[in-house]
């Protein structure tokens, strides 16, 4: 069975999500054949991406009628027969980026290898921090991994997450986890990455440098 190229899947997914953002709730999307022609890909590629978006709660495919938009803070459950050791909560913003998509795939693979299922919840950027705590508290889980939607993390929220009694990993830079017992912060050193990139360009002779961000990391960037 042929595998779907991650880059091609990401391209098609981004295009379809752009269609979703441009339309209202319950709007009908164009047929798969029309989308495949517009994006220059095979219909099978569009079909696979649409199936994934349906599992994640972005769209609803109604037999004999077409595909319609579902857009809200939403729960996404990826069922697995191997999930014998419980599940972990994955909470992340409701937008697409290849970086986030890649992280989730690695997390899911690692969880399944340990016979853990994943309970996913996609949140809008305007959601309050307290609501994230309630999302995790809403059902039993062995742990949680959170990509905060905002630029800052309130220390009071870290304390509440710590009080859940399960390990929680924040994919963000924050010093508020230092005194917690169960909340951890993991993040890339973007400043160092930027320095290395700029230094490389300067050493290559470039003097006019610019930076373009194509992913809504947070409110401050």
């Amino acid at each position: 069975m042929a595998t779907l190229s991650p880059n091609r899947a990401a391209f098609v997914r981004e295009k379809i999500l752009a269609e979703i953002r441009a339309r209202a709730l319950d709007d009908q999307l164009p047929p798969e054949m029309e989308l495949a022609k517009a994006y220059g890909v095979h219909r099978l590629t569009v079909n696979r991406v649409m199936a994934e978006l349906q599992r994640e709660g972005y769209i609803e495919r109604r037999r004999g009628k077409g595909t319609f938009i579902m857009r809200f803070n939403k729960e996404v459950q990826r069922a697995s027969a191997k999930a014998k050791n419980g599940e972990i909560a994955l909470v992340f913003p409701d937008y697409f980026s290849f970086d986030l998509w890649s992280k989730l795939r690695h997390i899911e693979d690692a969880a399944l290898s340990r016979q853990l299922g994943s309970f996913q919840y996609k949140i809008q950027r305007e959601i309050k921090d307290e609501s994230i705590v309630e999302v995790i508290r809403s059902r039993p889980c062995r742990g949680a991994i959170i990509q905060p939607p905002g630029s800052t993390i309130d220390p009071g929220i870290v304390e509440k997450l710590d009080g859940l009694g399960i390990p929680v990993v924040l994919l963000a830079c924050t010093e508020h986890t230092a005194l917690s017992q169960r909340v951890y912060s993991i993040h890339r050193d973007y400043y160092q990455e930027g320095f290395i990139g700029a230094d490389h360009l300067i050493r290559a002779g470039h003097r006019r440098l610019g930076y373009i961000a194509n992913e809504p990391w947070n409110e401050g960037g």
Side-chain angles (χ1 to χ4, degrees):
M1 180 177 178
T3 58
L4 184 60
S5 165
N7 289 335
R8 181 57 59 89
F11 167 79
V12 174
R13 180 186 172 99
E14 186 174 7
K15 290 293 185 181
I16 294 177
L17 285 175
E19 286 271 358
I20 292 174
R21 296 187 191 101
R23 297 169 182 265
L25 181 67
D26 209 40
D27 270 3
Q28 184 173 4
L29 289 172
E32 290 181 3
M33 186 64 74
E34 183 177 328
L35 292 174
K37 183 178 180 180
Y39 305 151
V41 298
H42 195 279
R43 181 182 178 182
L44 181 60
T45 301
V46 175
N47 181 268
R48 290 178 179 176
V49 173
M50 294 287 262
E52 182 178 79
L53 292 175
Q54 182 179 28
R55 288 194 302 271
E56 296 179 0
Y58 281 108
I59 60 175
E60 179 184 8
R61 300 160 104 179
R62 303 172 188 170
R63 186 181 297 274
K65 295 183 178 181
T67 302
F68 297 83
I69 295 172
M70 298 175 62
R71 184 170 55 195
F72 43 80
N73 292 335
K74 47 191 170 289
E75 175 183 335
V76 182
Q77 177 63 39
R78 293 185 181 275
S80 172
K82 298 181 179 179
K84 299 178 180 179
N85 296 327
E87 60 185 1
I88 59 175
L90 307 179
V91 184
F92 52 94
D94 189 12
Y95 65 79
F96 174 74
S97 76
F98 183 80
D99 178 80
L100 189 55
W101 179 79
S102 178
K103 285 178 183 176
L104 289 171
R105 292 302 175 270
H106 286 301
I107 291 171
E108 288 176 340
D109 289 344
L112 287 176
S113 70
R114 293 162 175 79
Q115 297 187 325
L116 286 165
S118 61
F119 152 54
Q120 298 185 5
Y121 202 89
K122 297 188 177 181
I123 54 179
Q124 301 298 324
R125 297 181 71 190
E126 298 80 10
I127 192 172
K128 295 182 179 180
D129 291 342
E130 291 82 356
S131 298
I132 297 178
V133 178
E134 293 305 317
V135 164
I136 300 173
R137 185 181 285 126
S138 65
R139 58 189 296 169
C141 57
R142 298 288 301 276
I145 299 177
I146 304 172
Q147 173 76 64
S151 58
T152 59
I153 299 176
D154 188 276
I157 300 304
V158 173
E159 183 178 352
K160 290 182 180 180
L161 290 171
D162 198 31
L164 292 173
I166 58 174
V168 177
V169 176
L170 297 174
L171 301 180
C173 178
T174 176
E175 299 177 353
H176 301 315
T177 60
L179 299 179
S180 65
Q181 297 181 356
R182 304 178 185 86
V183 183
Y184 309 89
S185 172
I186 298 178
H187 61 93
R188 290 159 55 183
D189 190 338
Y190 294 104
Y191 293 103
Q192 184 67 10
E193 286 184 5
F195 173 80
I196 293 173
D199 183 65
H200 175 76
L201 291 174
I202 292 172
R203 289 177 182 274
H206 298 281
R207 293 295 180 268
R208 295 172 62 86
L209 307 180
Y211 171 73
I212 300 175
N214 67 335
E215 297 172 346
W217 294 109
N218 54 53
E219 300 292 343

